[in-house]
Every structure is written in C-alpha cells, then in structure tokens.
Amino acid sequence: MRDWYDNLEAREQVFVLFGAAFVFIALVYFLLWAPLDRNHKQAAASVSNWERSLAELRPLRSIAGSGNAAAPRLTASSLQAPIIIVDQTLRSRGLEQYRRRSQPTANNGIRVEFENVAFDELVVWLGDLGSQYDLHVQAGSMSVQTQAGPGRINASLTLERPL
C-alpha cells in the first residue's frame, strides 16, 4: 500500500490524502456523532416533558399538604369484596364494556385489565374508588391505544385496600 502511494504523483497523493480525510470524517460523523446527537435530543425532549408534568403537578402538592382533602367515606358497602365493588362501580360509570379481565389478588385486592378505555373516565373511576371505597392503585401499567381515537388506552391495574 505504501509503495502504491509513493508511486503516485504529488497532486495525486494530495488528492488521496484529502479523500482519506473526508472518508474518515464522514465515518466519525455517521457512526459516532449522529447517533449520540440523536440520543441527546431524545433525552432533552424527555426531560422537557417531565419538567412540564412536574410544573402542572406542583399546585396539587399544596392541596395534598394542606390536609383539606376529605377523609374516605367508609360505608357498609365499602366493606364488600373488591371484586363486587369493582363490578358495581364499573357498571355505574359505563366502563364495564372496556374491562377484559378481573382477578382477585391475595392481598385484599383485585387486578383489572382494560382495553380501549378513555383515560379521563378511568381516572375519575379510580378517584371514586379511592374516596368512597378506600381502594387504591398499588401497581399498574398503561399503554396508548393506537387504533382508537386520542385519549384511549389499554391498562392493567392492581387495586388494594389497606388491611
């Protein structure tokens, strides 16, 4: 390779050097810089979203810290089994059609799976469960439903009542 290069004319050697430098710079850019820059932009967007969410939640901290939240209204119906409470409240809210499965858990709770449910309606239902029946979300996962309209999700929630 060195012999080949030495046999070239001076201007050909300069041309080869510039070509090699260009290829080297292009490889560094496309193999190192571009992926790192893309990941940096994604991380910055994610941080921006989290900061915006935190800013929206800050006013709620003062409400939660003031103690003005009403204590849960425990009634005789709130002492029912969680599966009965979930069934009755889903029917009353019109969310029964979105429930795919519900299964009692060992910890005085229930695991409920929804498909294509409206996020806003689900959150209101969860608020009612917490305030009226002292059932709270212990674990859950939500994913965006792509085929349906905006605001529709699939959710898997584990609801439990303190013992």
Side-chain angles (χ1 to χ4, degrees), residues 28-45:
V28 167
Y29 177 79
F30 287 111
L31 295 178
L32 293 175
W33 183 260
L36 290 175
D37 188 45
R38 182 175 34 251
N39 290 342
H40 176 264
K41 288 178 182 176
Q42 289 173 349

Side-chain angles (χ1 to χ4, degrees), residues 12-143:
E12 291 174 335
Q13 288 178 348
V14 170
F15 183 73
V16 168
L17 281 177
F18 278 116
F22 177 78
V23 168
F24 177 76
I25 291 171
L27 286 174
V28 167
Y29 177 79
F30 287 111
L31 295 178
L32 293 175
W33 183 260
L36 290 175
D37 188 45
R38 182 175 34 251
N39 290 342
H40 176 264
K41 288 178 182 176
Q42 289 173 349
S46 177
V47 167
S48 174
N49 287 340
W50 280 106
E51 286 174 344
R52 189 171 44 254
S53 296
L54 285 173
E56 291 173 0
L57 291 175
R58 280 195 183 102
L60 297 177
R61 183 183 346 168
S62 63
I63 294 171
S66 67
N68 291 337
R73 296 173 294 189
L74 298 178
T75 62
S77 64
S78 68
L79 300 176
Q80 294 176 333
I83 192 149
I84 295 171
I85 294 170
V86 166
D87 186 57
Q88 290 174 350
T89 56
L90 284 176
R91 289 181 196 280
S92 69
R93 284 258 172 217
L95 297 174
E96 174 64 26
Q97 63 189 350
Y98 304 110
R99 176 174 57 174
R100 292 296 159 241
R101 186 179 349 173
S102 54
Q103 175 181 6
T105 64
N107 299 337
N108 196 23
I110 184 169
R111 178 180 165 90
V112 187
E113 294 181 11
F114 295 94
E115 186 176 297
N116 197 24
V117 66
F119 177 77
D120 295 342
E121 294 175 20
L122 183 66
V123 170
V124 170
W125 175 72
L126 290 172
D128 287 349
L129 287 179
S131 64
Q132 296 175 6
Y133 302 100
D134 203 24
L135 270 172
H136 301 282
V137 177
Q138 296 302 316
S141 66
M142 297 180 186
S143 61

